[in-house]
Amino acid sequence: MFQLEKHGSSVKKEIIAGMTTFFTMSYIMVVNPIILADAGVPFSLSFFATIIATVVGTLVMGLFANYPIAIAPAMGLNAYFAYSVVKAHQGLGYEEAFAAVFVAGILFVLISLTPLRTKLIEVIPSNLKSAITAGIGLFIAFIGLRMSGLIQDHPSNLVALGNLHSASALLTLAGLAITLACMALNLNGALFIGMIGTGIIAYLTGQLSFDSGIVSAPEIPNRLVVDNPVHAFQVVFDYGLYAVVFSFLLVTLFDTTGTVLGVAKQAGLMKEGVLPRGERTLLADSVATLTGSIFGTSPTSAYIESSSGVASGGRTGLTAVVVAVLFALSAFFSPLVQSVSGIAAITAPALIVVGALMMSHVSHIQWNEIDEAFPAFMVILSMPLTSSIATGIALGFLTYPLMKIFRGKWREVHWLVYLFAVLFFFQLVFLPH
């Protein structure tokens, strides 16, 4: 089913890769419910919904698309849901807002069943594809540095070097040293070994404890948040949530497309610029978004942390299946997961190292051609500075056709690129993001 030999992988490599991806992204089980709680969503409800959406989407990705990419509620979209939708609309509750997510999910599934999303992957210029991969790498390294405290906010300079004497920074540096040493020795599963080693140090130094226990029965909600599709559409009409639906749809569309391209290119799964079974990868995300809205979580996306599993050797859908199984088991180990994922320094070294690996794709960009180089530069620069993959892609899509027009090469640009440039301009200028 997974064609392990064809992809030069093995069961052992895939299991280690799946475990690496799981531990790198496990924070979402805690962070997502915390953010949604600001919108009034009960923690137990969003925790269960987060797991359900992740398991469904990742299983579809692994079994149907055969890619080592995990799906989970998207960081950024959960904040948009809580602060720009629920809190920004007078009298709008989280249940009504989930109706908008549901409608966006329906439209997302319909689009995924058309050739549009596969065509979209094909028409993205090759230099932008390389820039997306590099930009994602810089972004996740930036996330790792901030999570660990190695860099911190600065009132006048945005960010600055953090307190290197802090427990989190020291633990991250120790984990980074372990991980890099394992990679220098060419040990399989170096990222996973690094996380295990960091976890042991955290436990021995008193930073990691299990005061809340390890196992608990999952709290299964007694009802669905969205149980009537007709009512969901009616809510969108009654509250005028058209812009919200459009924003969810457009951002998720490109967030997932960009991430899938970045991870697939890192894994060497692209075939002459084309992603085989591309429509299946995108259908997995749309199904997860739809499922998540029904149970009570914000839109999903392919996870950039999947690149850590790829760096550990993951090449097939078996990696994704392992991630899904571990997330399902996590429903019974919520105290343990909450304890481990609450220590940012355990996963930060993996994010930093993977970011370095993904940055290698800048070598594929035609830096000597300004009409190719500047749009790529905008993608790479804006992803970490705006904390948004979709915004980086948007700025790339806006500047690329403009540069081609200025150089008299407008005929080289596919009409879909012009169309999405207009849509991104509308989204950036007129819609909240």
Side-chain angles (χ1 to χ4, degrees), residues 292-309:
S293 67
I294 293 173
F295 284 91
T297 190
S298 47
T300 62
S301 177
Y303 252 58
I304 54 178
E305 285 83 355
S306 302
S307 54
S308 65

Side-chain angles (χ1 to χ4, degrees), residues 135-156:
I136 290 174
L138 198 59
F139 179 33
I140 64 176
F142 183 62
I143 291 173
L145 291 169
R146 291 195 65 174
M147 283 171 52
S148 64
L150 288 176
I151 61 173
Q152 61 186 12
D153 294 337
H154 190 277
S156 59

Side-chain angles (χ1 to χ4, degrees), residues 168-191:
S168 178
L170 289 172
L171 183 60
T172 301
L173 291 174
L176 195 57
I178 295 171
T179 304
L180 290 174
C182 291
M183 294 192 70
L185 295 171
N186 293 320
L187 297 180
N188 290 329
L191 295 174

Side-chain angles (χ1 to χ4, degrees), residues 113-134:
L113 295 175
T114 70
L116 175 62
R117 293 197 70 176
T118 304
K119 188 65 177 178
L120 177 62
I121 294 177
E122 296 174 1
V123 303
I124 295 178
S126 60
N127 283 280
L128 286 187
K129 289 178 182 177
S130 297
I132 289 169
T133 305

Side-chain angles (χ1 to χ4, degrees), residues 187-206:
L187 297 180
N188 290 329
L191 295 174
F192 181 65
I193 294 172
M195 282 187 281
I196 294 296
T198 309
I200 293 173
I201 295 174
Y203 180 77
L204 295 176
T205 56

